Amino acid sequence: LLLLALLALEGASALSLGGAPSAFVGQPALGALASARNCLTKVPTSAGSGGAVARQGLRGGAATTMGLNIAQAAKTGTLAYAVLVGAGGVFAGIKSGSKPSIISGVTAAILLAIAYTKNNNPLALGTAAALTVVFSIRYVKTKKVMPAGFLGVLSALFGVLFGLAQFR
């Protein structure tokens, strides 16, 4: 619920990092979807540009579309990953009666929510790296694809995304 409240408070303006304005500004849920869509597509800048596609970079100059899309995808991915990890930890804890699952899931979700609100990509990267190690160790011990193997791979993929956004 905390993460959904953050999304509603942040709205579409927090998710669009200098790109073309969304048609859904003022409608947070639709703005978030539009922002996620813009991560994967090119957006024309103006009618006078002859159809050329360009975006304003984070440093004020023209940036490659790929670089800005990775930054947007990492920002949106941080929130999605936080929801998945938090909800998964609570669900697993309730299903199995494991307090450590609830505590670790909620702690990781809080760290990722902080990374999202503060736009702190290194925190998201560190959290994803730590969860990759934890779930890899669990997979080696249990040989169970679900949840340890799946969450290890998912954490590694998010770690790659956050790493690309950080070191690009």
Side-chain angles (χ1 to χ4, degrees):
L1 294 175
L2 171 68
L3 296 172
L4 294 175
L6 286 173
L7 178 61
L9 289 175
E10 291 288 324
S13 61
L15 292 175
S16 70
L17 299 173
S22 169
F24 302 112
V25 172
Q27 298 176 1
L30 294 176
L33 291 173
S35 178
R37 183 201 72 230
N38 286 341
C39 291
L40 303 173
T41 60
K42 296 180 179 180
V43 178
T45 55
S46 66
S49 65
V53 175
R55 289 198 148 172
Q56 200 62 11
L58 296 176
R59 295 188 180 122
T64 63
T65 303
M66 184 67 180
L68 188 56
N69 285 345
I70 288 176
Q72 285 179 334
K75 174 86 172 166
T76 305
T78 302
L79 186 62
Y81 187 44
V83 170
L84 287 171
V85 168
V90 170
F91 177 75
I94 291 171
K95 183 178 177 189
S96 68
S98 170
K99 287 183 184 179
S101 290
I102 295 173
I103 293 169
S104 62
V106 170
T107 301
I110 289 170
L111 288 172
L112 290 164
I114 292 169
Y116 172 78
T117 57
K118 303 285 186 186
N119 205 19
N120 188 339
N121 197 48
L123 179 59
L125 178 59
T127 304
L131 289 175
T132 300
V133 170
V134 167
F135 286 120
S136 296
I137 291 170
R138 283 189 192 165
Y139 176 73
V140 168
K141 285 182 180 179
T142 65
K143 301 291 186 213
K144 291 184 178 179
V145 174
M146 193 64 184
F150 174 73
L151 290 173
V153 170
L154 184 70
S155 296
L157 291 174
F158 274 107
V160 168
L161 175 65
F162 300 147
L164 287 173
Q166 178 66 31
F167 300 112
R168 196 164 227 322

